[in-house]
């Protein structure tokens, strides 16, 4: 049954009991008993227990261990976040702390983003993730250098003076002539384009020039530029506040170790941005919905930010236990993403 249908099928009493159980659990981390709800609801504990049993049957609540209390399931948390959660505005103190991260050195994007990440971690008591925008200068020159029959170097010189090189495995049978042809072809096509532009347009350009371009040179181009997509690390991701997670999950250190390992290796960074790009504004991934950190059973709240051309260039997020204070963290992440977008675009207000 779709989650929206589940929510609409609940009567007012069931919805209210469900909401109170989830809110209490998110605030305390403890299962909620029927007796504690009778203080604020004009119904008996027996009635509330019956409602809780119905909600458990629907898969929205769970009955952990021998505890008399209930806690929300992953489905229950999703239903609450999508249909019942009330996300208030960012408080004045939270807004002030985020805005103070701008500092005086706004020209140093790296330092500014590091402060943003630290502020997010401090405010949310989770681990913060900040994916910095790529600073791609146009390519000025490309060269292929043979190192051995099975090893070659592709060298890129950018318009801002930066030089990058990477070793790759060239196609068998490559020659000095095919390397020169590949470099000449790329240099003619690369003028004024960034590396990202090259990646997206090179296949069409090779196809259009198939009769002119040697097959070996085409294979060299494809394998050489592919190296910039195959690197597993990405220094653009800033992670802060890992220690905060220990305070939340002392009862399950194995999960924390898995999560720490994922964060340390900064794996699947491209997917982190991809998650943010799949929808406007803040996205929430709960437990196993979060394919980046699903083994640790954590939740991720993430929002993209845009440059002056309204193009998504990065993302900010918070990762923590499923017992996050979503109502407070969602607006914080949203506000931070909007603020970062304004900063890197030079927009005011």
């Amino acid at each position: 049954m779709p989650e929206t249908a589940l929510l609409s099928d609940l009567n007012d009493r069931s919805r209210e009991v469900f909401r109170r159980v989830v809110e209490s659990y998110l605030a305390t981390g403890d299962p909620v008993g029927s007796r504690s709800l009778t203080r604020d609801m004009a119904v008996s504990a027996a009635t509330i227990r019956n409602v809780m049993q119905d909600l458990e049957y629907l898969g929205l609540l769970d009955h952990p261990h021998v505890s008399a209390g209930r806690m929300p399931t992953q489905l229950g948390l999703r239903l609450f976040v999508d249909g019942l959660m009330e996300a208030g505005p960012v408080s004045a103190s939270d807004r002030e702390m985020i805005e103070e991260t701008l500092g005086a050195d706004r020209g140093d994007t790296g330092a500014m983003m590091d402060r943003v990440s630290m502020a997010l971690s401090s405010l949310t008591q989770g681990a913060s993730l900040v994916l910095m925008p790529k600073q791609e200068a146009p390519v000025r020159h490309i060269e292929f250098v043979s190192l051995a029959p099975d090893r070659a170097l592709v060298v890129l010189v950018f318009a801002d003076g930066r030089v990058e090189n990477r070793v790759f495995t060239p196609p068998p049978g490559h020659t000095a002539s095919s390397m020169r042809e590949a470099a000449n072809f790329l240099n003619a096509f690369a003028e004024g384009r960034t590396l990202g532009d090259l990646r997206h347009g090179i296949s069409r350009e090779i196809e259009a020039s198939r009769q002119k371009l040697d097959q070996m040179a085409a294979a060299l181009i494809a394998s050489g530029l592919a190296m910039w997509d195959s690197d597993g690390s990405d220094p653009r991701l800033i992670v802060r506040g890992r220690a905060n997670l220990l305070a939340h999950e002392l009862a399950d250190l194995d999960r924390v170790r898995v999560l720490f390992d994922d964060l340390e290796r900064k794996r699947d960074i491209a997917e982190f941005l991809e998650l943010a790009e799949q929808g406007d504004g803040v996205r929430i991934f709960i437990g196993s919905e979060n394919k980046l950190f699903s083994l640790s059973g954590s939740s991720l709240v993430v929002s993209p930010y845009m440059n002056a051309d309204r193009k998504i260039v990065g993302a900010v997020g918070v990762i923590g236990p499923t017992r996050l204070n979503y109502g407070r963290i969602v607006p914080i992440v949203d506000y931070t993403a909007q603020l970062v977008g304004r900063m890197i675009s030079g927009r005011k207000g």
Side-chain angles (χ1 to χ4, degrees):
M1 182 183 295
E3 294 153 26
T4 51
L6 264 179
L7 186 60
S8 61
D9 283 349
L10 296 181
N11 59 34
D12 290 344
R13 177 177 293 168
S14 296
R15 192 179 307 214
E16 181 65 10
V17 168
F18 174 65
R19 182 183 65 79
R20 288 174 181 267
V21 168
V22 177
E23 288 179 347
S24 178
Y25 171 75
L26 293 180
T28 67
D30 298 323
V32 182
S34 56
R35 196 170 298 278
S36 65
L37 297 184
T38 59
R39 300 170 192 148
D40 301 312
M41 298 183 67
V43 291
S44 68
T47 299
I48 293 177
R49 280 196 297 272
N50 289 334
V51 173
M52 285 180 164
Q53 288 174 0
D54 292 340
L55 293 170
E56 187 174 352
Y57 177 76
L58 291 172
L60 301 179
L61 298 183
D62 193 16
H63 197 170
H65 310 299
V66 294
S67 167
R70 301 310 200 282
M71 56 189 288
T73 61
Q74 179 177 306
L75 174 63
L77 285 173
R78 169 53 60 191
L79 188 71
F80 172 81
V81 165
D82 289 347
L84 294 177
M85 182 182 74
E86 296 179 3
V90 181
S91 70
S93 59
D94 289 346
R95 190 184 305 113
E96 182 179 356
M97 184 172 180
I98 298 169
E99 291 173 352
E100 283 178 355
T101 62
L102 290 173
D105 55 339
R106 298 193 186 191
D108 187 342
T109 303
M112 179 192 69
M113 292 298 197
D114 189 61
R115 291 194 304 272
V116 167
S117 187
M118 291 179 68
L120 262 182
S121 172
S122 176
L123 284 171
T124 63
Q125 292 301 296
S128 63
L129 310 177
V130 173
L131 188 64
M132 292 175 56
K134 276 189 176 179
Q135 305 292 334
E136 281 200 308
V139 176
R140 178 182 292 167
H141 183 73
I142 299 174
E143 189 169 348
F144 291 95
V145 180
S146 180
L147 302 176
D150 60 345
R151 293 174 69 233
L153 191 71
V154 56
V155 181
L156 280 82
V157 181
F158 295 89
D160 60 3
R162 190 173 81 258
V163 179
E164 292 187 14
N165 57 74
R166 195 161 296 169
V167 176
F168 71 102
T169 301
H174 72 279
T175 64
S177 174
S178 62
M179 285 197 158
R180 282 196 301 272
E181 183 179 359
N184 290 338
F185 177 85
L186 278 174
N187 285 321
F189 178 63
E191 184 178 0
R193 291 181 169 91
T194 66
L195 188 58
D197 295 334
L198 279 179
R199 287 197 204 100
H200 291 127
I202 199 64
S203 296
R204 291 192 302 271
E205 194 68 20
I206 289 175
E207 185 64 30
S209 307
R210 182 174 291 279
Q211 293 182 342
K212 303 177 186 177
L213 189 64
D214 181 81
Q215 280 189 332
M216 184 59 66
L220 272 166
I221 292 168
S223 56
L225 289 185
M227 288 306 300
W228 264 261
D229 287 322
S230 63
D231 188 18
S233 63
D234 194 327
R236 296 185 300 131
L237 184 74
I238 301 172
V239 181
R240 294 288 180 267
R242 294 177 180 85
N244 288 336
L245 301 175
L246 288 170
H248 293 293
E249 297 288 0
L250 280 174
D252 199 342
L253 288 178
D254 286 339
R255 283 190 171 188
V256 174
R257 289 191 188 100
V258 171
L259 179 56
F260 276 21
D261 187 44
D262 288 343
L263 293 174
E264 192 63 40
R265 287 183 291 130
K266 299 180 179 179
R267 70 184 183 93
D268 300 329
I269 303 312
E271 291 188 12
F272 174 58
L273 180 56
E274 182 184 324
L275 288 179
E277 288 178 335
Q278 290 171 358
D280 295 330
V282 180
R283 301 199 71 205
I284 302 170
F285 299 88
I286 300 172
S288 60
E289 297 174 350
N290 175 357
K291 62 180 178 178
L292 292 184
F293 308 109
S294 59
L295 291 179
S296 63
S298 304
S299 284
L300 172 67
V301 180
V302 59
S303 179
Y305 59 86
M306 302 179 183
N307 62 12
D309 298 324
R310 309 301 297 175
K311 177 183 177 183
I312 293 175
V313 292
V316 300
V318 171
I319 188 169
T322 55
R323 192 180 63 79
L324 284 175
N325 184 347
Y326 298 97
R328 177 171 176 265
I329 290 176
V330 166
I332 287 176
V333 170
D334 184 38
Y335 182 75
T336 303
Q338 293 182 38
L339 188 65
V340 169
R342 290 200 299 269
M343 290 188 299
I344 65 170
S345 303
R347 303 194 302 271
K348 295 182 179 180

